[in-house]
Amino acid sequence: MPKSKRLMELMMTVNRKRKFTVKELAQEFGVSQRTILRDLQELSELGVPLYSEVGPHGGYQVLKERILPPIAFSEEEAVAIFFAIHALRHYSSLPFETEASSALRKFYQYMPNDIRDRIDQMKNRVDFVTPTRQVSSPHLAILLEAAIQQKVLLIDYESRDKPSKREIQPIGIYTRNGLWYCPAYCYQSDEIRVFRCDRIHSAIDSESQPMDLRDIHLGNRESDRKGVQVGGTLFAELTKEGVQACEAEHWLVPMLHVRQDGTGWVEGYLPKSDILFFTKFFIGLGKEVTVMSPTELLDEIRRNLTELMMKYM
């Protein structure tokens, strides 16, 4: 059996067995124990997480991380995957930062020379620009794991008003304009809120009993209104330019409706806690938006505009 094929089959074998001895592998592959030892050393250098145990019941064992079997990619697929990971370099924080860098190095290292040359040429021809942020979000992995495992976290959070301790149950994390956000059920305010991840200064497991939020995720969280504060129905007319501005905001897309002529409107439920945020957003759109409801939002817009006018009189 050629060495390259043996290494590939050996990788899948140790991943399946999880625990084994050199003698067992040597008998299975029909080679000497010395050859298996050299092969295991090569697999370790390729990133297969192996460790040895001494003693009469010792041997080799694969660490917790599973190694996926080899997957064949076309040239175009390989280039697409490379640049999908390469684009993440603009973010100061990632929930899988170390793993992304490691995957990119492996992917690039074992590509044929002609494909690497093509990628080198493309690096200066295509990019996915994201605003550079000085702030970091060191707890992304903890927040994501809590969302997947349905855990409650105790966080130290720095809001616009003052620092506070809160218990939250994350729904997920997403990034927009270089910043990370975490929609979560907040036990203090009894509603689903969105937290800036860079304002979370600590996050540890809480002993509180989690709610059953398995059916709530980033795609449908806006439609779930259990426990939210009383709000109202948002309705705002948009010009073509207003529609284009709103299309750039990921969080607003579920409420955005577009007509054939390019104009549109925003319609949906507006929690009371979001009125100040929408006030500032719609003021920023200027004449490209006409807010019709709710009354609380209109009053807040008028108050903010009055304060702004008084500042320049």
Side-chain angles (χ1 to χ4, degrees), residues 45 53 63 76-77 95-96 106 119 122 130 140 146 148 154 164 169 191 210 239 243 269 297:
E45 292 174 354
E53 297 176 330
L63 293 177
E76 295 302 323
E77 288 172 337
F96 34 73
K106 290 180 183 178
I119 286 176
M122 291 179 66
T130 301
L140 294 178
I148 296 171
L154 177 63
S164 63
Q169 185 172 336
E191 65 173 332
T239 65
V243 168
Y269 184 84
L297 177 59

Side-chain angles (χ1 to χ4, degrees), residues 25-38:
L25 293 180
Q27 292 175 347
E28 184 172 341
F29 284 87
V31 296
S32 68
Q33 294 186 35
R34 181 176 296 180
T35 298
I36 288 295
L37 283 171
R38 287 199 299 265

